[in-house]
Amino acid sequence: MEPETAEQAANGAEPTVEAVVEENKESEPSSSTRSVPAPFLNKTYELVDDEETNDIVSWSEEGNTFVVWNANVFAKDILPKYFKHNNFASFVRQLNTYGFRKTTQQRWEFSNDNFKRGKKDLLKSISRRKQPHQRLRALEHDAPALNLSSNYLLLENERLRRDNALLITEISRLRQVFAAHTGRSVDQVIGSSLTALAAAGTTTTPATAAATATPAAAATAGAAPATATGANAAPATATA
């Protein structure tokens, strides 16, 4: 399955007026002979390469992608230092215009073939895509609060899914530890316990057994031993 574009990752959120103005400032005509990278690309590289904020945004281990670990803090504290807005959706939209792609559904990780750690000289090879003139809609629908709320819900949903996955993993680990120490699985122990409880519920006392015995059984239980007959019979006692 082809990775989704960064714009799709932003869930179609509308940019703010400030973000649109900033985007226009940072843009330039596409050119294969350009010798200087676009300002947006330089700033993005610098904020990713800053080791002091690695807990918020950093290169991946391989250095061929970058990850925004905390989108809320990134929008609040990092974006305003480099751009004149704090709109995460607009930042993601700008990434899309330069050909970046979101590589996974699990986190905000982006890639571009010419955006790599230690190879800033490759930035000049990244061109801005030509975009249709649809920014008027952004000016008419400036709703930053709605954008932030939508992004927050998406991030919170991702956090809950990660927590759920960790919980399932921990339960599986504890089951394995239990089986290793007892030689039995949790399911076997639960099954045995339920069987024992069921058996205990059907156990009858002698009094209950006597009360529920059938007349034939009771008669059989109370009958005297039968007198032997035939060849094994004892001689009859003579009478006077």
Side-chain angles (χ1 to χ4, degrees):
M1 180 176 178
E2 185 181 10
E4 65 176 341
T5 64
E7 185 171 7
Q8 290 170 331
N11 198 30
E14 295 291 346
T16 62
V17 175
E18 293 82 358
V20 172
V21 173
E22 184 69 11
E23 286 180 20
N24 290 332
K25 280 185 174 181
E26 301 290 342
S27 65
E28 81 297 325
S30 299
S31 173
S32 58
T33 60
R34 185 176 59 251
S35 59
V36 179
F40 173 81
L41 297 174
N42 273 327
K43 292 178 181 180
T44 300
Y45 189 96
E46 291 171 6
L47 67 87
V48 173
D49 206 45
D50 186 355
E51 295 183 354
E52 293 185 0
T53 57
N54 277 355
D55 58 324
I56 303 172
V57 57
S58 71
W59 295 104
S60 63
E61 186 175 349
E62 297 78 10
N64 54 6
T65 64
F66 76 91
V67 184
V68 177
W69 300 104
N70 190 324
N72 285 337
V73 177
F74 178 82
K76 177 184 176 184
D77 298 335
I78 304 299
L79 283 181
K81 292 181 180 180
Y82 296 87
F83 309 100
K84 295 180 180 180
H85 69 85
N86 61 354
N87 190 294
F88 183 68
S90 292
F91 173 75
V92 173
R93 183 175 287 101
Q94 272 288 79
L95 290 176
N96 180 64
T97 66
Y98 285 98
F100 284 80
R101 287 189 174 277
K102 189 171 185 288
T103 63
T104 175
Q105 294 285 351
Q106 306 304 316
R107 59 188 182 183
W108 297 102
E109 182 172 1
F110 305 97
S111 71
N112 184 297
D113 291 341
N114 293 305
F115 193 89
K116 300 179 184 297
R117 180 174 55 200
K119 297 182 178 180
K120 193 174 182 179
D121 57 302
L122 293 178
L123 296 181
K124 62 179 178 292
S125 300
I126 302 178
S127 300
R128 187 175 190 272
R129 297 175 179 176
K130 293 182 179 180
Q131 297 294 308
H133 299 287
Q134 298 178 343
R135 299 309 185 189
L136 179 60
R137 183 178 58 176
L139 298 174
E140 297 172 343
H141 303 281
D142 183 21
L146 181 59
N147 291 336
L148 292 176
S149 297
S150 177
N151 288 329
Y152 174 79
L153 291 176
L154 288 173
L155 293 171
E156 186 66 10
N157 185 50
E158 289 185 4
R159 184 187 67 78
L160 291 175
R161 284 188 299 192
R162 288 197 301 269
D163 290 348
N164 186 53
L166 290 174
L167 181 60
I168 292 175
T169 301
E170 181 63 10
I171 291 174
S172 177
R173 185 187 70 81
L174 292 175
R175 282 175 172 267
Q176 294 174 359
V177 171
F178 182 88
H181 281 76
T182 65
R184 305 175 67 191
S185 70
V186 174
D187 293 335
Q188 289 175 329
V189 173
I190 293 175
S192 298
S193 299
L194 292 176
T195 301
L197 289 173
T202 58
T203 300
T204 57
T205 63
T208 303
T212 58
T214 63
T220 301
T227 304
T229 61
N232 294 324
T237 302
T239 58

